[in-house]
Amino acid sequence: MKIIIAGAGEVGFHLAKLLSYESQEITLIDTQKDSLAYADTHLDIRVIKGDATSIAILKEARVEASDLLIAVTASETTNITVCVLAKQLGSKRTIARISNTEFIHHKDEVGFTKFGIDELISPEALAASEIELSLKQSSFNDTYEFENGGALTMIGLTLRSSASFVGKTVKEAARIFPELHFVPIAIQRFGTQFTIIPRGDTKFKRGDHVVFITSKGGNEELCRLTGKPNRVIKNVMILGGSQIGFKTARSLSDKGFNVKLLEEDKERAFDIADELPKVLVLHSDGRKVDLLEEENIGDMDAFIAVGKNSETNIMTCLVAKSKGVKKTVALVENMDYFELSHSIGIETLINKKLLAANNIFRYIRKGEVVAMTKLSNMNAELLEFEVKPTSAICNKVIKNVDFPRSAIIGGVIRDGLGVIALGDFKIQAGDRVVVCSLLQSIKGVEKLFR
């Protein structure tokens, strides 16, 4: 695919990096020479210095031949303008990064597609939603919901020795617990970076980080079988009044959580207090341990650090953990920190770049991909395909499908209901099929759903 990315900031560079690994033809546009220099020397992409709202620059990038244009500059006005121009100049599909989430909520009413914008994304809104989901599934490390309301949900956890199926193979566990509403789709062995797609003879081991797909009730069953307490989150402390902190506080307080938000900037703290009357907003430097203790951090069920500095977010989460807080969530910019999250005791790390990339990646994938996410620390992707009548997998029983060995069907959504689909399940047109695949097998999986 020919892809143009406008904006070489954090999100733009990260996207260019990921897409270049996939052998896509990438052109990166930015006004800042310094932003482009690193990308030019480290990535196999084309860079153009200039204003992406310039028709001449877009033509130099051969916008008329592009399959996708992604506008992710810091200015939402610029992003919207670039997408409108690109569509008029011949780009097949456009995506704009925005910060005003009202645009997303009312996109059908306003009709952005008429202007030439096919999709709107807000990394901040995605991060706030991810945080909320992590509190909803508070006993688990990684979470992702398919379909509104979570017809199927991805959850990840590290197996303790007390887990009922440690030492058993997947097939043995299935025989012992036949009516369960979950299935393992990926395993990372303790102390390794290798991702295993589990088969019937794969044995669960203590310390494994296992990702499951669950249907309704599956998360409660996993809590019982793994010995993890089913935590109830009610009292939440948020460090940082950034857009993510503000959106998270507003959403949680509207859902009945008791929210306390700490913001260092006095003027920003007053502004948030005016806009969020149900949130207790404190003008305070949350980096100071004594101040956290004064604000009764030990009484909190969850601590969410979304300040500007990744290291500060991690350290304050560790302080919160040491004070007995059940659930900690940290916003980080450095992707390398993801490898450390489970070992240092922070349950959930949030990265805006990764969330935005996941959201955009489904437009790169072949087949009818309606949702996807990359698994943290794992060399695998979780994709949701919509089955067409012409798809090779349509009207086939799963066990009769020539499915890649390093990929697995985790579940199927049919008529809005999630089903853990085993070998005798027959795929039908209109089904939404959730697949976990190692990166080398994705092309083979895509062919089945075209």
Side-chain angles (χ1 to χ4, degrees):
M1 290 180 71
K2 292 181 173 64
I3 302 171
I4 299 172
I5 301 173
E10 291 178 346
V11 175
F13 176 81
H14 185 64
L15 270 172
K17 181 180 176 181
L18 291 179
L19 293 171
S20 68
Y21 291 161
E22 302 239 333
S23 302
Q24 308 289 354
E25 189 177 322
I26 311 298
T27 301
L28 183 63
I29 304 173
D30 200 276
T31 55
Q32 300 297 317
K33 186 177 180 180
D34 291 345
S35 298
L36 294 172
Y38 187 83
D40 190 26
T41 55
H42 288 77
L43 304 179
D44 184 20
I45 64 173
R46 180 188 178 202
V47 300
I48 296 176
K49 181 182 178 299
D51 185 348
T53 60
S54 162
I55 293 174
I57 290 293
L58 288 174
K59 285 187 173 181
E60 184 183 345
R62 298 186 63 241
V63 67
E64 73 282 354
S66 65
D67 298 296
L68 177 65
L69 179 136
I70 308 166
V72 286
T73 72
S75 166
E76 71 179 1
T77 305
T78 298
N79 296 335
I80 290 171
T81 303
V82 171
C83 286
V84 171
L85 290 173
K87 196 73 168 188
Q88 294 302 315
L89 291 171
S91 182
K92 292 187 180 70
R93 194 171 192 91
T94 61
I95 300 174
R97 173 188 179 176
I98 52 98
S99 54
N100 184 351
T101 51
E102 278 190 334
F103 290 160
I104 294 176
H105 299 319
H106 300 285
K107 66 178 182 180
D108 295 330
E109 181 182 343
V110 174
F112 282 95
T113 52
K114 297 174 189 173
F115 307 142
I117 305 170
D118 295 304
E119 192 66 36
L120 299 167
I121 63 161
S122 166
E124 292 77 19
L126 290 170
S129 297
E130 185 83 358
I131 291 168
E132 192 174 338
L133 179 59
S134 74
L135 298 189
K136 181 179 173 183
Q137 304 286 354
S138 61
S139 297
F140 307 107
N141 303 126
D142 311 302
T143 53
Y144 187 87
E145 285 188 345
F146 294 91
E147 199 84 357
N148 291 334
L152 291 174
T153 304
M154 177 199 85
I155 55 179
L157 55 85
T158 301
L159 296 183
R160 304 173 177 178
S161 55
S162 57
S164 302
F165 42 80
V166 165
K168 296 180 175 62
T169 65
V170 172
K171 190 179 291 184
E172 288 169 344
R175 280 200 296 265
I176 297 169
F177 315 113
E179 299 301 321
L180 297 182
H181 300 90
F182 61 82
V183 63
I185 57 168
I187 298 174
Q188 185 179 52
R189 294 285 187 220
F190 178 75
T192 76
Q193 295 299 315
F194 298 110
T195 303
I196 300 168
I197 299 298
R199 296 292 165 189
D201 58 355
T202 303
K203 184 175 287 189
F204 294 107
K205 297 182 179 180
R206 182 178 63 84
D208 281 352
H209 185 70
V210 187
V211 178
F212 296 89
I213 291 291
T214 71
S215 56
K216 294 289 185 182
N219 54 344
E220 288 88 355
E221 291 173 350
L222 274 173
C223 281
R224 290 198 304 270
L225 293 171
T226 58
K228 272 186 167 285
N230 195 2
R231 304 166 179 164
V232 176
I233 303 293
K234 189 65 179 176
N235 301 310
V236 180
M237 181 180 286
I238 300 174
L239 172 66
S242 61
Q243 282 194 58
I244 297 173
F246 176 83
K247 292 177 191 296
T248 302
R250 180 176 61 188
S251 179
L252 293 178
S253 63
D254 287 344
K255 289 179 171 63
F257 288 82
N258 300 321
V259 181
K260 186 181 289 189
L261 187 147
L262 310 181
E263 170 54 42
E264 187 178 5
D265 183 271
K266 187 175 182 179
E267 187 175 341
R268 176 65 177 161
F270 275 105
D271 288 342
I272 294 173
D274 288 339
E275 292 191 59
L276 303 178
K278 291 188 284 186
V279 175
L280 176 60
V281 182
L282 301 168
H283 171 224
S284 175
D285 185 353
R287 295 173 298 179
K288 297 180 179 177
V289 177
D290 56 340
L291 287 175
L292 290 174
E293 289 178 337
E294 283 179 22
E295 299 305 334
N296 301 316
I297 189 172
D299 295 335
M300 297 295 118
D301 301 311
F303 181 84
I304 301 166
V306 288
K308 296 176 183 177
N309 185 278
S310 299
E311 289 77 13
T312 299
N313 293 338
I314 290 173
M315 291 307 296
T316 50
C317 277
L318 293 177
V319 169
K321 202 73 180 173
S322 72
K323 302 300 179 183
V325 178
K326 300 173 186 174
K327 179 77 175 181
T328 52
V329 181
L331 176 72
V332 299
E333 296 301 327
N334 190 330
M335 299 292 291
D336 295 334
Y337 289 150
F338 273 85
E339 296 179 10
L340 302 174
S341 61
H342 304 314
S343 62
I344 62 178
I346 298 174
E347 286 92 350
T348 304
L349 294 183
I350 303 290
N351 182 278
K352 292 188 296 181
K353 296 178 288 187
L354 186 60
L355 292 171
N358 286 347
N359 198 267
I360 290 170
F361 248 74
R362 59 194 172 105
Y363 300 101
I364 314 302
R365 295 290 176 225
K366 304 288 193 302
E368 295 295 307
V369 178
V370 290
M372 71 147 289
T373 184
K374 284 181 175 290
L375 302 185
S376 299
N377 290 339
M378 293 190 182
N379 186 35
E381 287 182 9
L382 198 58
L383 304 107
E384 180 185 358
F385 293 92
E386 184 169 354
V387 179
K388 297 183 291 187
T390 55
S391 299
I393 200 170
C394 187
N395 296 321
K396 297 277 183 67
V397 174
I398 290 176
K399 65 183 179 184
N400 295 333
V401 177
D402 185 18
F403 218 72
R405 288 285 298 171
S406 54
I408 187 172
I409 291 178
V412 175
I413 300 171
R414 180 176 291 171
D415 300 325
L417 297 176
V419 180
I420 300 302
L422 302 178
D424 293 325
F425 189 90
K426 187 176 183 179
I427 303 295
Q428 298 177 3
D431 285 350
R432 293 192 170 198
V433 181
V434 175
V435 177
C436 181
S437 175
L438 298 188
L439 300 185
Q440 67 264 26
S441 297
I442 287 175
K443 288 183 180 178
V445 172
E446 289 171 342
K447 289 178 182 177
L448 295 169
F449 292 92
R450 288 181 187 170

